[in-house]
Amino acid sequence: MAMRWTLGCDAVDPQRIAAFWADALGYVFEPGYEDPDGASIVDPDGTGPAIGFLRVPEGKTAKNRMHIDIRVAAEISGDAAERERLVRSTVARLVPAGATVVREEFYGGQFDHVVMLDPEGNEFCVA
């Protein structure tokens, strides 16, 4: 049986970054967790891990050692055009929410994923 786990993250503005990730992942704020120095978001279906954000005084200074990948096209393997459409539409939705596009990645000449930054500069991928 797998362990239940929570991803813990440092943040300059926990409420803002939690709101971004809740929107990006389809999560909701965890009920009963109202704290200006922290925030927690959960999968409303109860299957994904919770993600907690705690206020720290310093900003991000180096590349992430771990990051979230948003897998919008995970179930699509044979339709490259549909897979790319799903990735690009997610990227287009996340930019106005505060994300920044860093680069697009191609493997063997084929579009694969987009590397982005969240509003606090943390790298993540949309694939």
Side-chain angles (χ1 to χ4, degrees), residues 50-67:
I51 304 174
F53 302 90
L54 295 176
R55 185 180 311 279
V56 295
E58 69 278 354
K60 183 177 176 289
T61 59
K63 185 180 185 314
N64 302 17
R65 296 289 303 262
M66 294 174 58
H67 68 259

Side-chain angles (χ1 to χ4, degrees), residues 10-31:
D10 292 344
V12 172
D13 185 343
Q15 298 299 321
R16 178 176 181 234
I17 201 72
F20 171 82
W21 281 109
D23 179 50
L25 300 172
Y27 271 42
V28 297
F29 276 82
E30 185 172 1

Side-chain angles (χ1 to χ4, degrees), residues 84 88 91 101-106 111-115:
E84 184 173 347
R88 291 189 186 284
V91 168
V101 174
V102 175
R103 69 182 175 278
E104 295 180 354
E105 292 286 344
F106 294 80
F111 175 82
D112 190 73
H113 66 277
V114 176
V115 179

